[in-house]
């Protein structure tokens, strides 16, 4: 027995009502703003899907071809057939590539509820049509102007008749039929070709200038003959004094029916720029990862005793950023990147004191104790998921204020998505292949066109200023190289693992990530970085049939309701199912990917060394990374002279004195160098240590406000006679004591500048040992990323939301028996208490379901469909189809009941 075909939907709500649960889940997954909060029924879902904010967000997430399809529908008649849409996209010649890709784009628009209706009556959501349709204030990206009907809406009937007659058509009795005849002429290819064949010289050149947009032009009060010829025949229509427009129908004829100059049905391939050995890429990336760890450690070591002050408006001052860049020996933008990376990883924060300063957090000490590979993995994961954007430092915000490092205004919600997508495109290339940055940007522009650039730019026109996503992509490529995620421009093995991507094929393998056929959603189907090569999900172009057995819900107590017996029609006619957009990694998956990246990186990092090479020129060479205790002690005993593959330390009297001030004796220093040097300790270095140690502490400085004490009278006489001591204002109190009017710290620095080696002493006369004090902030958590709108719903939320929407729609649309006083649409049923009780008791006996109005304890009213089970003690226990569970309701809160209609 053949099933009767369901009628075409008359509204978006009816179109949504005909969808199965899988289709509704795809809609809510692609537009998560629709499920926050959960709509009460499908009518509210349709209303929310048509709001301006939601439609704008959905349009911004379409790929270029899907957006071009929506733009074509915006300039097509409403409703339009699929054949009309195909003509606008493929043109009169019928581009085969466009023809093959159009079902996929149309499926994407249908899935996201931007288009509804069958193939004979396609309708673009009204808000989307208003946003994409051409107008004088907001030109369409298609470059088309208004239709003949729109352009002649304010024209006098006499003028319209003159145009019709001049164009060779018979005059009519009214303007409406005249405009219809003129439109029919402009849409008839043969008649238009005959009309334009008689155009004077110069007329066609004018039309060619306007055909691809903008369609508006200026004319003088007395136009030239070739312009007058166009105006008289309606090929140009006036819109304002001195302004004319090319009608849409004329432009489409001149374009051979195409709405866009260059449709782009397929994403551009990610082109390789260079190919390297994968082992070389991994080694280069590991070397840069080691440098990244050393740079972050050096940054926080420099701020160990309390970093720069926090600006009143928040952030780091320009002067402190320059100072940090000099200390790290990197440009200022790179210094800002390292500072923001440490902040995103939770290693750096403000201390919250009265004179607020930046300092390392307690987590930094814990981070230092981890293996190097784990430390890098934490930095890389923090960078990949952070919304803070270091590339914006130094720019201006909306109020023309300078954006500072660690300051407010650096969060950009799109940053994590762009970083992940850029790396996913790199993961789609063969191992060791570095992409051409221009092709990566072109691919991103196709997947998510910048606002107002859905069509390709016109030849000869200046390219628009780079949008945020383009700059984010450029910064991603640079930052990934700095961090060691990529090496020599290609994605490393541990970088691939960080994305959760499978291992890449050998160089020369097909580029599945860069050339895959597009899929649905914002990213097509290329290079998802998840389970398997990109593009495989959409290759089949088929979907599981609606109502499959594995997705069917078990019948509930209300399964006998009439609405449960109607057949579920397919949501849309047959067309290739769009591939789902790649889902982000869950927290557990991200943790597993981070651990895998650390395991792959660990063998590539150099092992810490326990020795240095001492040289006769008072330098020590560390041929690699040093063990932490050795590096810390050497950092006190010597100054870093140069860094690179090997670090060069230089011993100076000041550095040796610094070690002695830290409580080390000369014998300790000799023993330390002898144990950790692969070469004999040079004699000049031994002499330097002994000489500084002999003079160290000979002078003692204490607080009087300050005094100098020495057992050698001659040495004090030498200090008093030195002109450089004038600023210290010293005077002799006793043969072995000098007093000063400056504080002890200034006195110490002054004497050291004169070449002496004084030591500070306490009030008891003991030598004070000066060690670096590690200043730490109170416990701080890493900054939370700023989300880009509501997060995608998880499967549990999707299931619950769809069930609630279906149940609410059931309560709102279930047919009810006609009574004498039926409530208006949207109103609650009203019955007396006696009638309510009697109807509910009867439903318990018969097993029927009822439609009730209910007001909860907070006063919120709702409609529900219930199947009463029992009535006792002023309460009714029933299966609630809206909540899909058994509930108990007080009878006094039920406003009224109504019986459901029979089948």
């Amino acid at each position: 027995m053949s099933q009767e075909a369901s009628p075409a939907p008359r509204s978006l709500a009816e179109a949504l009502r005909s969808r199965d649960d899988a289709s509704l889940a795809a809609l809510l997954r692609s537009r998560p703003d629709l499920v926050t909060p959960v709509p009460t029924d499908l009518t509210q879902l349709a209303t929310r899907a048509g709001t301006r904010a939601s439609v704008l967000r959905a349009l911004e997430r379409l790929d270029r071809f899907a957006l071009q399809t929506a733009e074509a529908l915006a300039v097509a008649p409403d409703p339009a057939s699929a054949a009309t849409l195909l003509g606008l996209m493929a043109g009169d010649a019928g581009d085969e590539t466009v023809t093959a890709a159009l079902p996929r784009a149309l499926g994407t628009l249908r899935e996201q509820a931007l288009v509804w209706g069958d193939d004979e009556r396609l309708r673009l959501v009204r808000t989307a049509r208003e946003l994409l349709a051409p107008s004088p204030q907001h030109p369409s990206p298609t470059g088309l102007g208004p239709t003949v009907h729109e352009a002649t809406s304010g024209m006098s009937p006499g003028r319209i008749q003159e145009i019709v007659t001049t164009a060779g058509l018979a005059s009519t009795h009214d303007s409406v039929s005249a405009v219809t005849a003129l439109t029919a002429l402009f849409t008839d290819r043969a008649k238009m070709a005959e009309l334009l064949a008689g155009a004077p010289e110069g007329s066609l050149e004018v039309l060619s200038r306007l055909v691809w947009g903008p369609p508006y032009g200026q004319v003088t009060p007395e136009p030239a003959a070739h312009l007058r010829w166009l105006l008289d025949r309606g090929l140009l229509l006036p819109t304002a004094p001195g302004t004319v427009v090319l009608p849409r129908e004329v432009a489409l004829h001149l374009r051979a029916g195409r709405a866009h100059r260059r449709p782009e049905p397929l994403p551009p391939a990610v082109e390789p720029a260079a190919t390297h050995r994968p082992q070389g890429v991994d080694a280069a990336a590991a070397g840069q990862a080691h440098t990244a760890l050393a740079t972050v450690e050096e940054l926080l070591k420099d701020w160990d005793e309390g970093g720069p002050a926090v600006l009143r408006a928040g952030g780091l001052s320009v002067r402190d950023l320059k100072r940090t860049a000099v200390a790290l020996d990197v440009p200022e933008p790179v210094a800002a990147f390292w500072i923001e990376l440490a902040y995103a990883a939770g290693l750096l924060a403000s201390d919250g004191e009265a004179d607020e300063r930046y300092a390392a957090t307690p987590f930094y000490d814990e981070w230092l104790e981890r293996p190097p590979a784990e430390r890098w993995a934490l930095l890389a994961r923090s960078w990949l998921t952070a919304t803070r954007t270091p590339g914006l430092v130094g720019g201006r915000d909306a109020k023309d204020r300078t954006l500072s490092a660690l300051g407010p205004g650096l969060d950009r919600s799109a940053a994590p998505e762009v970083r992940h997508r850029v790396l996913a495109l790199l993961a789609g290339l063969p191992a060791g292949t570095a992409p051409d940055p221009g092709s990566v940007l072109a691919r991103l522009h196709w997947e998510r066109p910048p606002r107002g650039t859905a069509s390709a730019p016109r030849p000869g026109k200046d390219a628009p200023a780079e949008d945020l996503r383009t700059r984010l992509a450029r910064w991603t490529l640079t930052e990934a190289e700095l961090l060691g995620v990529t090496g020599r421009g290609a994605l490393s093995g541990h970088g691939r693992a960080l994305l959760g991507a499978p291992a890449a094929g050998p160089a020369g393998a097909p580029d599945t990530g860069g050339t895959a056929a597009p899929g649905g959603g914002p990213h097509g189907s290329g290079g998802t970085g998840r389970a398997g090569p990109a593009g495989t999900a959409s290759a089949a172009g088929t979907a599981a049939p609606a109502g499959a057995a594995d997705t069917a819900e078990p019948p509930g107590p209300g399964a006998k309701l009439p609405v449960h017996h109607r057949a579920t029609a397919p949501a849309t006619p047959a067309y290739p199912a769009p591939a789902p957009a790649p889902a982000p990694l869950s927290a557990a998956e991200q943790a597993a990917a981070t651990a895998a990246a650390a395991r792959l990186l660990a063998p590539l990092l150099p092992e810490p060394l326990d020795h240095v090479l001492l040289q006769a020129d008072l330098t020590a060479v560390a041929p690699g990374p040093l063990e932490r205790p050795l590096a810390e002690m050497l950092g006190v005993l010597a100054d870093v002279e140069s860094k690179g593959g090997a670090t060069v330390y230089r011993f100076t009297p000041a550095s040796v004195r610094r070690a002695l001030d830290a409580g080390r004796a000369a014998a300790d220093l000799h023993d330390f160098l002898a144990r950790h040097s692969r070469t004999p300790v040079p004699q000049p270095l031994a002499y330097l240590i002994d000489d500084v140690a002999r003079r160290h502490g000979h002078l003692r400085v204490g607080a009087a406000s300050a005094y100098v004490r020495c057992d050698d009278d001659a040495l004090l006489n030498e200090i008093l006679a030195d002109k450089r001591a004038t600023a210290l204002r010293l005077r002799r109190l006793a043969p072995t004591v000098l007093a000063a009017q400056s504080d002890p710290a200034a006195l110490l620095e002054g004497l050291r500048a004169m070449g002496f080696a004084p030591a500070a002493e306490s009030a008891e006369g003991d030598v004070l040992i000066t060690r670096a004090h590690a200043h730490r902030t109170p416990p701080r958590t890493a900054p939370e990323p700023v989300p880009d709108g509501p997060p995608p719903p998880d499967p549990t939320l999707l299931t619950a939301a769809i069930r609630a929407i279906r149940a609410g729609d059931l309560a709102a649309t279930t047919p009810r028996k006609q009574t004498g006083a039926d409530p208006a649409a949207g109103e609650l049923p009203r019955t007396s208490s006696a009638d309510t009780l009697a109807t509910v008791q009867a439903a318990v006996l018969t097993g029927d379901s009822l439609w009730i109005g209910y007001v909860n304890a907070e006063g919120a009213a709702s409609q529900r469909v219930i199947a009463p089970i029992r009535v006792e003690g002023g309460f009714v226990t029933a299966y609630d189809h809206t909540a899909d569970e058994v509930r108990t309701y007080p009878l006094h809160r039920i406003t009224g009941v109504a019986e459901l209609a029979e089948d």
Side-chain angles (χ1 to χ4, degrees), residues 290-291 622-625 640 642-648:
H290 170 70
T291 303
V640 176
S642 66
K643 295 179 292 185
T647 305
V648 178

Side-chain angles (χ1 to χ4, degrees), residues 268-288:
V270 178
E271 300 293 341
T275 302
H276 311 284
R277 292 177 57 251
Q279 296 83 353
V281 169
D282 291 347
Q288 193 57 46

Side-chain angles (χ1 to χ4, degrees), residues 424-447:
L425 290 177
L426 269 62
L429 297 173
T433 302
D436 174 41
S439 66
V440 173
L441 296 179
R443 176 62 173 265
L444 292 177
H445 285 175
W446 187 91
E447 293 177 348

Side-chain angles (χ1 to χ4, degrees), residues 53-345:
S54 182
V55 170
L56 268 175
R57 181 181 292 273
L59 291 176
E60 289 175 355
R61 293 177 176 272
L62 294 175
D63 61 54
R64 188 184 296 276
F65 189 63
L67 186 55
Q68 286 181 333
T69 303
E71 291 165 354
L73 278 172
V75 298
D78 187 26
S81 65
T84 301
L85 176 61
L86 178 61
L88 289 171
M89 296 300 297
D92 296 343
D95 189 321
E96 294 183 359
T97 306
V98 172
T99 303
L102 186 58
R104 193 274 312 171
L106 188 56
T108 299
L109 296 176
R110 275 173 160 153
E111 179 188 272
Q112 300 194 22
L114 295 172
V115 170
W116 58 276
D118 56 29
D119 283 352
E120 297 302 320
R121 298 179 62 82
L122 295 174
R123 291 185 182 273
L124 190 65
V125 173
R126 183 178 61 182
T127 308
R129 178 174 289 274
E130 293 172 354
L131 290 170
L132 299 176
S135 67
Q137 295 77 20
H138 303 285
S140 168
T142 61
L144 293 171
T147 62
V148 173
H149 175 76
E150 295 167 345
T152 58
S153 58
M155 189 176 295
S156 65
R159 176 58 184 158
I160 295 176
Q161 294 295 337
E162 291 178 4
I163 292 174
V164 169
T165 304
T166 308
L169 301 174
S171 60
T172 63
H173 299 288
D174 59 90
S175 299
V176 175
S177 57
V179 170
T180 302
L182 196 60
T183 301
L185 170 64
F186 291 162
T187 54
D188 189 313
R189 296 287 188 265
K191 293 182 179 179
M192 274 295 290
E194 181 181 352
L195 176 64
L196 293 176
E201 185 178 357
S203 296
L204 295 180
E205 182 182 353
V206 172
L207 296 179
S208 66
R209 293 177 183 174
L210 303 177
V211 63
W212 293 109
Y216 294 91
Q218 302 294 321
V219 295
T220 61
E222 296 294 333
H226 63 282
L227 290 175
R228 172 56 62 188
W229 189 89
L230 296 173
L231 289 168
D232 289 344
R233 288 155 181 78
L235 299 175
L236 292 179
L237 293 172
T239 59
T243 303
V244 294
V245 66
L246 180 68
R248 186 181 305 170
E249 294 84 355
V250 177
L252 287 174
H253 171 80
L254 297 173
R255 297 178 177 195
R258 286 183 293 146
H260 295 89
R261 188 186 193 101
R262 187 165 64 92
E264 297 185 58
L266 298 178
V270 178
E271 300 293 341
T275 302
H276 311 284
R277 292 177 57 251
Q279 296 83 353
V281 169
D282 291 347
Q288 193 57 46
H290 170 70
T291 303
L293 292 175
T295 304
V296 172
E297 290 182 32
E298 183 179 357
L299 166 68
L300 295 175
K301 183 180 179 181
D302 188 49
W303 291 6
D304 207 35
E305 299 183 42
V310 181
L311 294 175
R312 182 179 301 176
L316 198 65
S317 68
V318 176
R319 180 176 54 189
D320 289 328
L321 178 61
K322 290 181 178 179
R323 186 181 296 117
T324 303
V326 171
L328 298 179
D329 194 21
V330 295
E332 291 177 33
V334 178
F337 167 70
W338 295 121
I339 293 171
E340 285 288 343
L341 178 62
Y343 177 64

Side-chain angles (χ1 to χ4, degrees), residues 558-584:
K560 61 184 178 180
L561 292 174
V563 292
H564 285 271
H565 292 290
R566 69 168 181 239
T568 303
T572 54
Y575 59 86

